[in-house]
Every structure is written in C-alpha cells, then in structure tokens.
Amino acid sequence: MNSIVMKQDASTAIRELLAYLLSSSRVDAVLTMRQVPETGSCDLGLITDPSGMVEAEPFLPVMTANAGQALSSISMSGKRIAAVLKPCELRGFTERVKREQGSFDNLLTISSICGGVFPLEKVISGDLEKLVPRYIEKTARAEAPRGLRETCKACEEFVPMNADISVSVTEHGSLMHLHSDRAEEYTEGFEGERIEARADQSHIDRMMKSRSAAKGKLFQSLEKSSGLDGLVDLFGKCVGCHGCSRVCPICYCQHCDFESINFDYNQPYFQESLEARGALRLPPDTILFQLGRLTHMSFSCVGCGMCSDVCPVSIPVAGIFKKTGERTAGLFDYVPGRDSEEPIPVMVFKEEELGDIG
Amino acid sequence: MSEWQPRILAILCNWCSYAGADLAGVSRIQYPPSIRVIRVPCSGRVDQLFILKSLQSGFDGVLVSGCHPGDCHYISGNYVARRKFALLKPLLEFIGIEPDRVQFSWISAGEGERFAEVITKITEDVRKLGPSKRLVKKT
Ligand code: SF4
Ligand code: SF4
Ligand code: FES
C-alpha cells in the first residue's frame, strides 16, 4: 500500500499534514485533540485557522469526548473536514452513519494503531504530563502502558478498520498509510518519501497478545455481575444520571425513552408497586435502564470506555457493554463499525434463519 | 389459601395470533386462564423493553406471538421481531431469567387448537419455575 515515511515523530508529521490541508484549502476544518502547552489542559477541538494548529496534539492518549459522536452533526454541514479519530471513535462514527447521523461524504478520516487512552481522572489529577512520555516509549515497543482505561487494555480492535489514512508507529519509525483515493488526492503535494509498505504485523501481533490476555481477565472479572443479584449489586449504586448514555457514540436518540414520560413515575405507580412488593429502590429503574440500553445498542458498542469514565459511582459500564455486545453482535457475525455498508443487525433479516425461535 | 397460579402476559399480533385466540374462544377449546392479552398491530411492534418491563411489573412469564414467518400482514415485521428476540435471549441469560419464562411462537388465525396448546405449555413451564423474581430483589 502506498505509504508516506514520516521524518519527524507521528504527532508532528500529522500536525503538519493537517496544517497543509487547511492552508491549501483542501479542507475547511480539522478535528483533533488539542493541548495548551503552558497549562497542559486538553480538549477535542475543531480548528479552521491554521495558526491554531500549534495546539493540535492529534495522538494525545486522552478521549474527552468520543470524537465519532462529536463529528456526527458537523459531518453533515457540507464543510470538508479532516478528522483525527481513534479506531473506536471511527467505528462509533461509522455506526452513527448507519443510523443516518453522519456522513463520510466530505470527510478525510485519519486514524492510527492505537495504544489506548488514559481515564479522564488522570487528566484531572495532572498526572498526564508524567504519563505521556512513558506511554510513547511503551507503545512504540508494542508494550502495554499502565493506567489505561480498562476497555483499552482489553481492546483487540486497535487497528483502524476503515480510515482513509492510518498511522503506524513502531520502533523502526512511523508511516502514514494511504488507504483510499481520497487519501491519495488530499496528500498530493505533501512532502515525504512515498514507499510501498504495510503496518508491521509482528508489532500488531505482540500488541494483540497482551490485549487478548487483558480481555480474558476483564470478562472474567465481570462474570460475577451476571444474574439478578449480581446486577443489583452492580447497578444498585447507580444514581440515574444517564451520563453513560449521553457520552455514548451509539446512543443518539434525541428523545430517549428513559427520559420520556414513560419513565416519569407518578403516585399511582409508586402506590401500586409498594402494594405489590412492600419496598421500592430509588431512583427506580436504574437496572432496567441499563438492560434497555443493552438490548437496544449493545451489538453496536465499540468499547470506547466513555461510559465507564464518566460514571460518578465507578460502575464498569463499558466492560459490561463490551462483553454483552460481543455476544449479541456475534449472533449475526456483526462487527460494529467495521464497514459503513454493513447494515445493523436489527434493520435486516434473512428469511431462513433463527428456526429455533417460535 | 389457594394454590399459586402463574400470571402470563400474552402479546399477540392482531392479524394472526389474536385471531387464533379468538378462534380458540369461539370453538370453546379449553386452556388455562393464566394469560392477560395485549393486542399489537404486528409482532414487529414489540420492543424487547416491553418484555423486560412486564417481568419487572410482576408477570411470571411473557409470550409474544405473531404470524408465521412469511405470513406477516406487513410482510417483514415478524422477521425483524425474530431478530430482536434472538438478541434478547443472551441478555435474559445475563440477567438470570430462566429461558422458559419468555417464549415466542407463530400462530395463524386458523390455529385455535395450537393457540390452546401454546398457552397450556407456557403455563405449565412457568408453573414449574415458580413466581418470577420481578427483576427486583424482594425485600
Ligand atoms: S453514568 Fe453511572 S450513575 Fe450515571 S446512569 Fe450511567 S451507570 Fe448510572
Ligand atoms: S456503551 Fe460505553 S463503551 Fe460502548 S460505545 Fe457506548 S460509551 Fe463506548
Ligand atoms: S402482522 Fe402478524 S407478525 Fe406482522
């Protein structure tokens, strides 16, 4: 595959590419992580002024919002956008496109073999400064850095599935792989040696080994939360803030049923329930809320870990969705975000299937 | 005290299963008085949440029944429903709800006998399992 050799580190090279795309008017805006050099504070930014590119940190191992979710409506604005996305953000975006919540038409997607991201608490505590240099060293050697999000440690989908441009960083240097005509077209004239190359498979294999081991451990640790008692233990402390669904790239419904009048309980409900059971847990339906989300979208969960990260009471929401999602998606050999042409499993059917039902 | 009787919610598609229930009625076919019926336009209308919510509200079992695959009044509603039910199954397992508590069937308007059989079966299955734990810890 046609690839560009990066002379500098990957972040600098991509920052230059983004600046080039902006200044040559190939794109109207750039979506990337940013970091203010003086304070270290970071966010996801949409940049139109090339001078703003100094703050771009395209591969900062932090996810303040799932960029796939953020990109959703702006991707339909008609503006041309170059977006740097982590593989799960790109998959999340792809899932949204399938739900008509986004479009690839005016997008150039840039992703990379992903080493994972740190939980937001590390950003708040100011530890990021110390963690990032070690992270870069470790990931270049295909080793797992400490302190990542639980679902990142266990993520086996760290190679971008459908990016226009993907970046691979190994100890032998960094490469920009051009996967599409659009990638070729947009990078035309951008400096750098062109070679035929693919991402280093042995590097990927080594990463996969530690990821798979971590996934096994994560899933096992979640075993105890199945069954009714396990679920009550787990979600019993849920405060019902619905933060987990707000930050989820898949949960796009503007009028979530759980925030509708259907779940706005009134006096008769309480009376009836109390008569039947003698006691009621408040707020009601915290478990039903998660079960509802699991039935409605777990097969599309991309395991980005946003939900766990924002949960104020540290419920391992993402692990549960990832684990359940693999089962529900597995029923239909579905891989969320693999291909924007692959329909979501509840939108299609085969006449001859599932003979055991009914 | 009288013996515990299972309470089962039957969500029936208007065009087939509901008519099947009607036929069972007019033909005076006997089946256990264990069901409460909700009529829906099509099995495709049934969201998995309806099922979870019924169990949570205290039903001991839920039956969803639609037209036979290929016979849906709206062509494909039951094919989509079938996928949704398939997706619900691992979840029920995850919650720890016994699989027999939630059953699906396809019953046509002419199958009054079959309707009675299906109701008898789910009633006996649920009776064996005992009262549902209602998705909420009993306090
Ligand atoms: S973020 Fe946590 S506390 Fe808030 S609704 Fe989700 S699980 Fe419950
Ligand atoms: S459920 Fe959680 S981990 Fe899965 S896609 Fe949504 S936010 Fe990400
Ligand atoms: S109309 Fe009966 S299942 Fe669709």
Side-chain angles (χ1 to χ4, degrees), chain A residues 40-314:
Chain A
S41 77
C42 52
D43 63 8
L44 179 69
L46 189 65
I47 307 173
T48 50
D49 181 350
S51 70
M53 288 309 302
V54 289
E55 290 183 352
E57 267 310 330
F59 301 119
L60 194 71
V62 175
M63 193 188 291
T64 50
N66 185 301
Q69 180 190 44
L71 192 57
S72 204
S73 61
I74 47 176
S75 73
M76 297 191 286
S77 64
K79 300 277 184 217
R80 289 159 307 158
I81 297 166
V84 186
L85 304 159
K86 292 167 181 85
C88 61
E89 295 176 317
L90 179 54
R91 294 168 66 220
F93 181 71
T94 307
E95 286 299 298
R96 282 181 95 94
V97 171
K98 293 181 193 179
R99 291 162 172 80
E100 296 180 25
Q101 303 297 313
S103 159
F104 282 105
D105 288 353
N106 297 301
L107 277 192
L108 179 76
T109 55
I110 303 170
S111 194
S112 67
I113 293 189
C114 181
V117 302
F118 291 107
L120 293 173
E121 65 188 38
K122 302 273 195 236
V123 181
I124 300 161
S125 65
D127 287 341
L128 205 59
E129 216 71 355
K130 281 185 281 175
L131 290 167
V132 170
R134 186 104 184 89
Y135 171 94
I136 296 174
E137 242 172 72
K138 282 238 171 199
T139 46
R141 293 201 302 263
E143 288 166 18
R146 276 170 203 274
L148 298 178
R149 277 185 182 169
E150 291 301 321
T151 39
C152 291
K153 290 184 202 163
C155 169
E156 296 176 319
E157 292 80 21
F158 53 87
V159 180
M161 295 183 180
N162 55 347
D164 291 306
I165 298 178
S166 74
V167 172
S168 67
V169 181
T170 68
E171 47 205 314
H172 313 296
S174 315
L175 291 168
M176 224 184 268
H177 309 284
L178 311 178
H179 298 274
S180 64
D181 293 345
R182 188 173 296 176
E184 299 278 356
E185 190 189 310
Y186 277 59
T187 53
E188 210 184 282
F190 181 65
E191 246 174 82
E193 188 196 343
R194 296 330 196 237
I195 60 167
E196 269 302 303
R198 289 182 181 277
D200 176 359
Q201 190 58 43
S202 76
H203 183 89
I204 293 174
D205 292 345
R206 273 179 292 147
M207 278 177 84
M208 189 64 86
K209 222 170 143 195
S210 83
R211 299 293 183 94
S212 303
K215 184 168 115 176
K217 259 197 226 154
L218 173 68
F219 283 9
Q220 203 176 356
S221 75
L222 293 168
E223 279 306 323
K224 61 177 184 310
S225 36
S226 70
L228 194 53
D229 292 342
L231 281 176
V232 173
D233 283 347
L234 194 68
F235 290 119
K237 58 185 176 175
C238 170
V239 298
C241 66
H242 296 187
C244 47
S245 73
R246 294 281 168 88
V247 298
C248 176
I250 314 303
C251 276
Y252 72 91
C253 299
Q254 297 278 333
H255 300 285
C256 175
D257 199 31
F258 289 98
E259 314 219 339
S260 75
I261 197 154
N262 293 347
F263 288 87
D264 192 2
Y265 291 121
N266 47 19
Q267 191 50 35
Y269 167 82
F270 286 117
Q271 207 159 330
E272 208 179 283
S273 309
L274 286 170
E275 270 165 25
R277 294 183 203 138
L280 199 60
R281 201 160 40 83
L282 297 172
D285 284 348
T286 49
I287 296 182
L288 194 69
F289 169 64
Q290 295 299 349
L291 294 177
R293 267 191 3 106
L294 281 168
T295 60
H296 288 162
M297 52 62 64
S298 64
F299 48 82
S300 283
C301 168
V302 294
C304 65
M306 280 307 298
C307 48
S308 285
D309 220 10
V310 301
C311 179
V313 289
S314 305

Side-chain angles (χ1 to χ4, degrees), chain B residues 13-17 41-44 65-68 71-78 106:
Chain B
C13 135
N14 175 48
W15 300 97
C16 290
S17 301
C42 170
S43 63
S65 189
C67 313
H68 284 273
D71 289 346
C72 173
H73 190 73
Y74 306 98
I75 318 290
S76 60
N78 52 4
W106 317 119

